[in-house]
C-alpha cells in the first residue's frame, strides 16, 4: 500500500471534494462549489491515496482572472491549521518567551481557542482578550510539560 497524502482544510481539500462531486454528480457549478466548501468546513483533516484532478480548476489555473471569489483562500478560522507547531515542543526548546512569540502569529481569539483545543491545553472560555488567552495557553502548556517530566521520572 502506498503512502497517502494528508489534506488539511483549504484549497487542496476543497479541490479534492470538488473534483469528486463534479465527477460523480450532475450538480451545477455553484451547487458543487457550495457542497465542496461545506464538506471542507466539516472535515478537520483526511488521508487520501488518490488525488483526482478537477478539470475546471486546472482550466482556471491557466486563466487566473477566471478564479471565482469562493475559491480564493482567506484567513478565516476554517482555514486555520491548529497543528502548525507544537506548543509543548516550542516551550521545551525555546522557553516561555519563544512560545509567546509563536502565539503572537495567531491573530484571532477563535483561532487561539482552536489551537488550544487541538494541542490539548485547556483555556478558560471566559477569557476574551487575545493576550489573556495566549497567557492561559502558555500556563497550560507549562503545566502539561511539567506533568510529562514528572511522569517520566
Amino acid at each position: 500500500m502506498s503512502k497517502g497524502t494528508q489534506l488539511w482544510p483549504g484549497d487542496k481539500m476543497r479541490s479534492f471534494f470538488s473534483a469528486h462531486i463534479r465527477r460523480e454528480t450532475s450538480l451545477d457549478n455553484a451547487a458543487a462549489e457550495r457542497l465542496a466548501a461545506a464538506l471542507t468546513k466539516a472535515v478537520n483533516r483526511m488521508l487520501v491515496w488518490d488525488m483526482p484532478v478537477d478539470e475546471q480548476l486546472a482550466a482556471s489555473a491557466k486563466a487566473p482572472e477566471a478564479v471565482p471569489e469562493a475559491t480564493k483562500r482567506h484567513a478565516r478560522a476554517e482555514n486555520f491549521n491548529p497543528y502548525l507547531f507544537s506548543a509543548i515542543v516550542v516551550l521545551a526548546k525555546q522557553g516561555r518567551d519563544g512560545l509567546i512569540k509563536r502565539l503572537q502569529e495567531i491573530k484571532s481569539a477563535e483561532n487561539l481557542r482552536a489551537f488550544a483545543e487541538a494541542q490539548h491545553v485547556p483555556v478558560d472560555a471566559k477569557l476574551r482578550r487575545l493576550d489573556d488567552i495566549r497567557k492561559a495557553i502558555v500556563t497550560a502548556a507549562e503545566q502539561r510539560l511539567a506533568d510529562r517530566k514528572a511522569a517520566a521520572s
Side-chain angles (χ1 to χ4, degrees):
M1 185 176 241
S2 66
K3 185 176 179 182
T5 302
Q6 191 167 14
L7 297 180
W8 296 92
D11 291 339
K12 281 189 175 183
M13 184 182 287
R14 192 203 45 72
S15 175
F16 174 84
F17 285 132
S18 179
H20 277 289
I21 291 167
R22 290 179 203 284
R23 188 174 63 206
E24 301 295 330
T25 68
S26 60
L27 294 174
D28 64 339
N29 289 340
E33 285 301 317
R34 282 194 312 271
L35 182 56
L39 289 169
T40 302
K41 189 174 183 178
V43 175
N44 184 23
R45 64 180 174 194
M46 63 186 188
L47 189 62
V48 298
W49 277 262
D50 183 27
M51 205 52 191
V53 176
D54 189 345
E55 290 81 17
Q56 289 189 345
L57 285 180
S60 68
K62 294 175 186 171
E65 66 279 357
V67 176
E69 185 67 30
T71 61
K72 291 184 180 177
R73 189 153 196 200
H74 44 81
R76 292 195 328 223
E78 65 216 30
N79 288 332
F80 174 68
N81 180 0
Y83 303 101
L84 190 59
F85 63 91
S86 169
I88 303 299
V89 171
V90 171
L91 181 64
K93 291 187 175 189
Q94 299 175 4
R96 182 179 181 92
D97 293 335
L99 180 55
I100 289 174
K101 186 176 181 181
R102 288 298 303 264
L103 289 173
Q104 294 291 334
E105 299 169 6
I106 304 173
K107 302 295 183 192
S108 77
E110 183 179 343
N111 289 350
L112 281 169
R113 290 186 192 287
F115 176 82
E117 183 179 337
Q119 301 281 324
H120 302 288
V121 289
V123 174
D124 189 3
K126 297 174 190 171
L127 297 176
R128 298 287 177 235
R129 292 183 44 227
L130 293 175
D131 288 336
D132 293 340
I133 297 171
R134 288 183 183 112
K135 288 176 186 174
I137 290 172
V138 171
T139 302
E142 287 174 333
Q143 183 60 50
R144 187 160 176 230
L145 185 59
D147 291 347
R148 287 174 120 184
K149 286 180 179 178
S153 62

